[in-house]
Amino acid sequence: GGDSNEATAKPKRSFYAARDLYKYRHQYPNFKDIRYQNDLSNLRFYKNKIPFKPDGVYIEEVLSKWKGDYEKLEHNHTYIQWLFPLREQGLNFYAKELTTYEIEEFKKTKEAIRRFLLAYKMMLEFFGIKLTDKTGNVARAVNWQERFQHLNESQHNYLRITRILKSLGELGYESFKSPLVKFILHEALVENTIPNIKQSALEYFVYTIRDRRERRKLLRFAQKHYTPSENFIWGPPRKEQSEGSKAQKMSSPLASSHNSQTSMHKKAKDSKNSSSAVHLNSKTAEEKKVAPKEPVEETDRPSPEPSNEAAKPRNTEKDSNAENMNSQPEKTVTTPLKKESVSPENNEEGGNDNQDTENPGNTNCHDVVLVQ
């Protein structure tokens, strides 16, 4: 039951795998060589001048004595970083990363290239695969049934295949990668001989290929044979989904333009309402200003300011200023008005206004105001 659930469960993409393989395909952006150019550890190992560490075994001994020894190749985990070097650190910290200068020197060295291809053949046979020609085509080996069964159960070898594919691209054999990945996809999806490898093949192996067209060919092949088809999550979306997304994209600008027009209409309507509200407020404010002038009872009262000025002589400039400020509003008004026409600032200067209103002694104060 658990196996069937795992088989039918929808796979998930790995962010770390995508980031790692993106860096590899784009030649490791911001990569800096941390070693000197004369420290060609990987090239010297393939020239049989130094052994790989920590085992202390030379490349010739590995190719001659380890070939066919599947137990040793399975359980030893330090040789794979030396046989297939990369520009990134592996689990064996004794192994050195490739440098750009070392890659160029490696490609020029025929002795190193010959041994590198022999190491590739040795690992293919370990997986139950054989190299059929110089262009990188592969096929089943003689003992493929036994080795495929082992490969289907030993998933740590999937990491080794990813490293081998990366190293092929670094050292000048990019064209060898696509035939191997196509073969693995065929065995996993069509023949169902190694079904457990299909997740790693689609998540890692395919994306080690730097040519985008080759990747898409492999993804189309995998999508055609993947079961269940609705769980295929790699590569471009289906045509039906893409057409639906296009229709949504076409409808969204129309909806946004309609919403923008309605919002503009609402803004214009709100501005009209606000302007009318301001007009009404200003009108009511004017009515409030005029309203105190309407009562007639106060117009019959004598104005207290002239009586004060008539009783006192104009000795100071303050009094003259007060006179001028008090007299100016009277000239502007066509009808005889009361003291309320004077501004509050003038009331502060005429400090005896309350006393004058209590003593309306001069009956001719209205005439005095007109003369002034």
Side-chain angles (χ1 to χ4, degrees):
D3 295 338
S4 62
N5 290 334
E6 289 178 2
T8 57
K10 188 173 183 179
K12 296 181 181 179
R13 296 298 307 273
S14 171
F15 168 76
Y16 298 100
R19 183 179 62 178
D20 174 70
L21 295 168
Y22 176 86
K23 290 180 180 178
Y24 166 77
R25 291 196 308 271
H26 292 80
Q27 304 291 338
Y28 298 95
N30 303 321
F31 173 78
K32 294 181 180 179
D33 291 333
I34 59 175
R35 295 188 292 119
Y36 295 106
Q37 291 183 353
N38 58 357
D39 185 15
L40 305 176
S41 301
N42 297 288
L43 180 58
R44 287 188 292 153
F45 167 71
Y46 262 102
K47 291 172 75 172
N48 206 42
K49 291 184 177 180
I50 61 171
F52 78 84
K53 297 177 182 179
D55 296 65
V57 182
Y58 287 84
I59 182 63
E60 280 297 326
E61 183 179 351
V62 173
L63 296 175
S64 60
K65 294 182 179 181
W66 289 30
K67 183 180 179 180
D69 191 349
Y70 298 146
E71 288 295 324
K72 183 170 287 187
L73 292 174
E74 173 66 27
H75 297 293
N76 190 299
H77 300 285
T78 57
Y79 71 92
I80 196 73
Q81 292 84 7
W82 287 89
L83 290 184
F84 302 98
L86 298 175
R87 282 185 280 176
E88 54 188 75
Q89 183 64 52
L91 295 176
N92 185 359
F93 292 98
Y94 292 99
K96 303 295 183 181
E97 299 94 334
L98 279 173
T99 63
T100 52
Y101 177 75
E102 189 174 23
I103 291 172
E104 297 302 323
E105 292 298 317
F106 198 102
K107 292 177 182 179
K108 297 175 184 178
T109 308
K110 294 181 179 180
E111 182 183 5
I113 291 296
R114 180 182 63 83
R115 291 190 176 116
F116 179 73
L117 289 176
L118 289 175
Y120 179 55
K121 290 180 180 180
M122 180 184 73
M123 294 307 298
L124 286 180
E125 290 177 5
F126 171 70
F127 299 136
I129 308 169
K130 66 177 181 179
L131 188 67
T132 58
D133 54 30
K134 295 182 179 180
T135 61
N137 291 319
V138 293
R140 291 176 177 178
V142 177
N143 59 345
W144 67 271
Q145 290 181 332
E146 176 191 350
R147 300 315 303 165
F148 278 13
Q149 183 179 357
H150 175 76
L151 182 62
N152 193 51
E153 296 171 356
S154 59
Q155 297 185 5
H156 72 93
N157 282 308
Y158 305 162
L159 298 175
R160 291 177 170 179
I161 294 174
T162 303
R163 186 179 188 91
I164 291 169
L165 289 167
K166 285 182 176 181
S167 188
L168 286 172
E170 293 284 54
L171 297 178
Y173 288 91
E174 180 72 24
S175 61
F176 278 37
K177 292 156 66 174
S178 184
L180 177 60
V181 176
K182 177 72 175 292
F183 174 82
I184 293 174
L185 288 173
H186 179 80
E187 293 292 337
L189 299 176
V190 181
E191 301 296 336
N192 201 31
T193 53
I194 40 177
N196 292 338
I197 204 174
K198 64 181 180 181
Q199 174 77 16
S200 295
L202 290 167
E203 193 74 14
Y204 290 89
F205 303 167
V206 172
Y207 288 96
T208 62
I209 297 172
R210 291 185 170 123
D211 189 353
R212 182 181 297 177
R213 291 173 295 181
E214 289 295 324
R215 288 201 309 271
R216 289 184 176 178
K217 287 179 183 178
L218 293 171
L219 289 172
R220 291 191 192 100
F221 173 81
Q223 188 175 13
K224 182 180 178 181
H225 299 283
Y226 192 91
T227 55
S229 58
E230 60 271 11
N231 287 355
F232 189 84
I233 58 173
W234 299 272
R238 295 181 180 179
K239 292 183 179 180
E240 296 176 358
Q241 296 178 357
S242 61
E243 289 175 0
S245 62
K246 287 180 181 179
Q248 290 178 358
K249 288 180 181 179
M250 290 294 291
S251 60
S252 60
L254 295 175
S256 62
S257 62
H258 177 70
N259 293 332
S260 62
Q261 289 178 0
T262 54
S263 61
M264 291 289 291
H265 179 68
K266 287 180 180 180
K267 287 181 180 179
K269 193 173 181 180
D270 293 339
S271 62
K272 287 181 181 179
N273 292 334
S274 61
S275 62
S276 60
V278 171
H279 180 68
L280 290 174
N281 291 333
S282 61
K283 190 173 181 180
T284 53
E286 289 178 358
E287 289 176 356
K288 287 180 181 180
K289 288 182 181 179
V290 177
K293 299 178 183 180
E294 291 177 359
V296 185
E297 297 91 75
E298 293 185 359
T299 55
D300 296 335
R301 291 184 184 179
S303 176
E305 292 177 0
S307 62
N308 187 15
E309 291 172 2
K312 294 182 181 180
R314 302 172 190 173
N315 293 329
T316 61
E317 293 178 0
K318 184 177 181 182
D319 295 335
S320 62
N321 292 333
E323 269 183 15
N324 294 332
M325 294 180 70
N326 292 331
S327 61
Q328 287 175 359
E330 297 294 339
K331 292 179 183 180
T332 56
V333 179
T334 56
T335 58
L337 295 177
K338 56 194 183 315
K339 186 187 80 168
E340 279 77 3
S341 63
V342 185
S343 63
E345 289 83 359
N346 294 335
N347 289 336
E348 292 180 0
E349 290 183 1
N352 296 326
D353 287 347
N354 295 330
Q355 295 178 0
D356 293 339
T357 53
E358 292 174 0
N359 256 335
N362 195 351
T363 57
N364 295 327
C365 61
H366 184 66
D367 297 334
V368 174
V369 170
L370 292 178
V371 171
Q372 289 177 353

